[in-house]
Amino acid sequence: MMEKKLPVFGGAKPKAPTASEWEALAARIKRPLTAPVVDVLVPVYGGFAETMRCIYSVLDCEQKTSFNLLVVNDCSPDPEICGELRRLSSAGLIELHELPENLGFVGACNFGMGLHRDRDVLLLNSDTEVYSDWLDRIRRAAYRNGRTGTVT
């Protein structure tokens, strides 16, 4: 029986940002003067390159909306992921919370959503890459109508 290969969209597998890319990003980031109004919540377990590319893309896109990049490490067994998340947290690029046991995607999300109850929350899968003013556009859609409860 032949093993079926899944297509890779975009032509190539994601590559984690290099140390020099992280350094350049950190130098470019301008911290807002206002408190965050949105937590961009990324639960993490596996997929080192995809996760790092996701985090990098969130930080690389300039937004008018003041946000906090909240990463919940759901007890990942991958020492490379754990080490890099701690480094990014020490550099002030992310707010990191490490769970002592694996709660699964929903449990990690619930944990993260309970941290800053005064903020909106945007859940982002750790294999997502975002572009342009993505957060500003989602927030505009969410507040366009007072009856909107969720935007997907």
Side-chain angles (χ1 to χ4, degrees):
M1 176 183 258
M2 289 188 60
E3 184 177 321
K4 183 178 177 182
K5 289 191 175 190
L6 297 175
V8 177
F9 298 101
K13 215 174 164 192
K15 292 184 177 158
T18 64
S20 61
E21 286 176 304
W22 283 116
E23 288 171 20
L25 177 68
R28 230 178 22 251
I29 291 179
K30 296 176 186 149
R31 292 289 172 200
L33 300 175
T34 58
V37 295
V38 176
D39 274 334
V40 175
L41 172 56
V42 181
V44 172
Y45 181 77
F48 177 79
E50 294 84 355
T51 298
M52 295 307 127
R53 191 51 58 195
C54 172
I55 292 169
Y56 186 90
S57 75
V58 170
L59 294 171
D60 193 37
C61 293
E62 197 170 313
Q63 307 297 317
K64 291 179 182 167
T65 302
S66 177
F67 72 93
N68 174 47
L69 182 49
L70 176 60
V71 177
V72 177
N73 179 352
D74 193 17
C75 199
S76 175
D78 184 337
E80 188 177 26
I81 287 176
C82 296
E84 189 66 3
L85 291 177
R86 289 177 190 136
R87 189 187 71 72
L88 295 174
S89 177
S90 293
L93 295 173
I94 65 172
E95 177 184 337
L96 176 63
H97 293 270
E98 298 184 275
L99 300 178
E101 64 180 306
N102 180 268
L103 300 180
F105 181 80
V106 173
C109 288
N110 285 338
F111 174 85
M113 287 187 290
L115 292 172
H116 307 120
R117 295 179 183 267
D118 58 330
R119 300 179 190 165
D120 288 340
V121 176
L122 187 138
L123 301 177
L124 198 60
N125 286 347
S126 63
D127 62 352
T128 304
E129 286 188 57
V130 296
Y131 299 92
S132 186
D133 61 342
W134 67 279
L135 182 58
D136 293 336
R137 288 181 285 132
I138 288 174
R139 189 158 163 81
R140 273 194 307 273
Y143 283 94
R144 188 172 294 139
N145 181 323
R147 296 183 61 190
T148 301
T150 184
V151 176
T152 326

